[in-house]
Amino acid sequence: MIDTHELKKRDLYLNKIIAFQDTEPVKVVTGIRRCGKSSLLKLMTFHLKETGITEDQILEMNFESHNFKNMTGDSFYEYVKQHVQPDKRMYLFFDEVQRVPDWEDAINSFRVDFNCDIYVTGSNAYMLSSEYATYLSGRCVEIKMLPLSFSEFLTFHDFEIRETKSALGGTRKQAFDINGEHYELREVFDAYMRFGGMPGIADVGLDQEKALVLLEGIYSTVIMRDILERENRRGQKRITDPVLLKKIVMFLADNIGSSISVSSIGNTLVNEGLLEDGKRRGTPSAHTVQAYVNALLEAYFFYDIKRFDIKGKELLRTLGKYYIVDIGLRNYLLGFRDRDSGHAIENVVYFELLRRGYDVSIGKVDNSEVDFIATKVDDKLYVQVTESMTSEDVRKRELAPLQKISDNYEKIVLSLNTGMDSSYDGIKSINLIDWLISE
């Protein structure tokens, strides 16, 4: 069971769940393993108890536990039926429910047969894909969970941001730890870019050896249990080659933020001799590679992003890009390095935009590209990301695509070094770290 005294609040997600409390839909929390889903359910049970719900109204089941290892849909139903208090409203919490065969039948029956409010977690998008989603269609609400944002990373690692006086008489923000030691925000940000945002890192501390052990555990669980085993359990043995799967993971991790076609992945792996393990002959088909990539997307290990033609106002079928859910996992896979830090910070910005509730696509305007178009129902934001805006050549390159866009929505360039100017003809130049801690 989770050590409850160490649970730190994740208000962004907790508030979303609370907003749906006692409404009919099943609350489904999805996201990569170990990103905090179980802790979120536990935080919700604390909230319920604080508002007067009694212990016997709450039933928690974690299907990773040996206690529930061989449950079927029927035995799942019977177990819950025995624990329901007939004259009270029940709050049912089911962790990794997709491990139970026919779980959706049981969940639907609970909704019909009992006075209850249901919360479930799952580490695979397949549980909400076509057939399951139609089964529960209109009856579930998905809360998408991600590893820690930079702001959450500060909180989890017990840093507090304070304004201090600078030598020039102004103020600057610094991070203070619980011992009163202070650090430049850039130092703490560099730690975030190194260790990533998996909540478990806060338990082992910012220690590279321990962090790598933790990240290795997450990686192997996702790859082995959520992809290779799951495919076998589904009875479709498409994902049967662990070597190919690992190579595709490495390829995508190495090429975050780059335009990629699925057909090119197999060719590249063969051309660079990455599949010469003595067993494979020929290039894996695009169909095979696509199946492997889809499995990684379903396990929330990578996220894909499509291109949007700003002038034609349509999504394009051409090359998309992939981003890895956690930069720490990338460092575990590829080693710690600085040579493509531009793509790494782009990766961080992409997930921050998702956290803030935006739909995100790549913008195409004529022959140039805007890193991100972030849209909400009533808002749009154009974003360029670069390491530094101090060089004139870089400024021209980053500003040019934004200057071609004629609408009045906000346009910003995020960088770690903004240079002297904060605005160029209405296009804002914003420090990336300030932006990350601004909301």
Side-chain angles (χ1 to χ4, degrees):
M1 210 55 197
I2 295 162
D3 191 353
T4 53
H5 73 271
E6 292 197 5
L7 284 187
K8 289 198 162 71
K9 286 277 181 80
R10 307 262 325 253
D11 286 342
L12 172 68
Y13 305 104
L14 184 58
N15 291 339
K16 282 183 185 173
I17 281 205
I18 291 170
F20 286 102
Q21 181 186 331
D22 290 319
T23 59
E24 189 198 354
V26 176
K27 276 60 75 175
V28 184
V29 183
T30 57
I32 190 170
R33 281 188 178 268
R34 310 281 285 281
C35 74
K37 301 184 299 295
S38 306
S39 300
L40 183 63
L41 292 196
K42 184 54 87 176
L43 287 166
M44 185 61 189
T45 66
F46 292 167
H47 168 76
L48 291 173
K49 288 171 190 171
E50 283 167 6
T51 56
I53 304 299
T54 56
E55 194 82 47
D56 63 351
Q57 289 176 267
I58 296 170
L59 176 62
E60 299 173 76
M61 297 173 74
N62 185 340
F63 293 101
E64 300 279 87
S65 162
H66 199 75
N67 294 336
F68 307 121
K69 189 175 179 205
N70 295 315
M71 268 203 167
T72 62
D74 289 342
S75 58
F76 178 24
Y77 180 85
E78 286 305 318
Y79 182 91
V80 171
K81 186 178 178 183
Q82 285 167 20
H83 288 80
V84 162
Q85 303 294 317
D87 54 345
K88 292 182 179 176
R89 182 160 178 79
M90 294 296 296
Y91 294 84
L92 310 178
F93 292 85
F94 306 126
D95 222 342
E96 298 297 343
V97 73
Q98 81 275 0
R99 295 187 73 76
V100 180
D102 302 321
W103 63 271
E104 66 280 17
D105 286 335
I107 295 284
N108 232 8
S109 299
F110 301 152
R111 291 178 57 257
V112 173
D113 296 349
F114 308 133
N115 174 16
C116 63
D117 195 18
I118 305 172
Y119 302 80
V120 306
T121 74
S123 297
N124 204 288
Y126 181 69
M127 68 181 285
L128 286 178
S129 67
S130 55
E131 62 232 60
Y132 290 163
T134 50
Y135 203 91
L136 289 169
S137 62
R139 301 173 191 147
C140 69
V141 57
E142 184 182 8
I143 288 122
K144 299 175 182 179
M145 201 163 191
L146 290 166
L148 304 178
S149 67
F150 180 54
S151 283
E152 290 177 316
F153 177 87
L154 289 165
T155 304
F156 268 58
H157 290 273
D158 296 314
F159 287 107
E160 184 189 347
I161 295 178
R162 296 183 206 155
E163 295 215 337
T164 57
K165 282 193 174 151
S166 68
L168 297 171
T171 60
R172 62 175 178 166
K173 294 187 178 83
Q174 288 189 306
F176 287 75
D177 68 13
I178 47 176
N179 301 316
E181 294 285 330
H182 58 89
Y183 302 87
E184 296 302 322
L185 276 180
R186 178 62 191 266
E187 290 178 83
V188 186
F189 180 71
D190 287 344
Y192 178 64
M193 294 302 292
R194 190 172 192 79
F195 292 98
M198 283 298 177
I201 303 253
D203 297 329
V204 300
L206 298 174
D207 174 303
Q208 190 161 308
E209 218 165 290
K210 290 177 182 169
L212 287 173
V213 170
L214 181 114
L215 292 166
E216 181 180 23
I218 295 169
Y219 170 75
S220 54
T221 308
V222 169
I223 295 304
M224 291 308 299
R225 192 179 296 178
D226 291 345
I227 294 181
L228 293 168
E229 282 182 20
R230 174 183 61 86
E231 289 298 328
N232 294 341
R233 211 166 53 239
R234 204 199 289 179
Q236 299 176 10
K237 299 197 175 186
R238 292 179 309 165
I239 313 296
T240 53
D241 185 342
V243 174
L244 178 60
L245 183 61
K246 174 80 184 271
K247 298 296 185 189
I248 290 173
V249 168
M250 299 293 277
F251 179 85
L252 292 177
D254 201 14
N255 289 281
I256 55 169
S258 300
S259 298
I260 290 176
S261 77
V262 166
S263 57
S264 71
I265 295 175
N267 294 332
T268 306
L269 294 178
V270 169
N271 294 343
E272 295 185 5
L274 296 175
L275 291 180
E276 291 171 5
D277 58 351
K279 298 176 194 163
R280 175 173 290 286
R281 287 181 188 161
T283 306
S285 72
H287 179 72
T288 299
V289 173
Q290 186 69 65
Y292 281 56
V293 169
N294 286 349
L296 289 163
L297 295 174
E298 284 185 354
Y300 304 106
F301 202 91
F302 290 99
Y303 286 60
D304 62 344
I305 177 171
K306 303 284 189 281
R307 256 167 229 282
F308 184 80
D309 186 327
I310 294 169
K311 292 193 170 172
K313 296 197 168 127
E314 61 180 354
L315 276 171
L316 302 170
R317 295 180 68 105
T318 51
L319 305 179
K321 296 182 180 182
Y322 295 86
Y323 291 103
I324 192 164
V325 70
D326 179 66
I327 214 74
L329 281 168
R330 182 177 193 247
N331 293 335
Y332 156 71
L333 289 164
L334 303 177
F336 298 93
R337 60 193 191 168
D338 292 327
R339 67 183 173 87
D340 61 348
S341 46
H343 278 150
I345 61 173
E346 206 178 282
N347 200 98
V348 166
V349 170
Y350 170 70
F351 284 103
E352 185 61 27
L353 289 166
L354 291 188
R355 275 187 203 93
R356 294 184 185 188
Y358 288 101
D359 285 324
V360 187
S361 52
I362 308 159
K364 177 185 174 292
V365 51
D366 298 333
N367 291 320
S368 53
E369 189 175 283
V370 177
D371 289 334
F372 302 118
I373 309 176
T375 52
K376 289 184 184 178
V377 177
D378 54 355
D379 189 24
K380 191 181 285 187
L381 179 66
Y382 297 100
V383 185
Q384 291 282 68
V385 184
T386 186
E387 284 185 82
S388 172
M389 282 285 279
T390 53
S391 135
E392 188 168 346
D393 286 348
V394 172
R395 282 200 299 273
K396 281 183 180 167
R397 184 189 74 211
E398 297 298 329
L399 293 169
L402 296 176
Q403 287 163 337
K404 290 181 180 177
I405 302 168
S406 55
D407 67 32
N408 293 321
Y409 290 108
E410 189 174 14
K411 301 167 185 69
I412 63 174
V413 181
L414 297 172
S415 67
L416 290 167
N417 190 340
T418 56
M420 300 298 284
D421 295 316
S422 60
S423 180
Y424 302 86
D425 299 328
I427 298 167
K428 293 179 189 166
S429 173
I430 300 173
N431 178 278
L432 170 63
I433 298 172
D434 288 343
W435 180 78
L436 289 171
I437 62 176
S438 65
E439 284 187 34

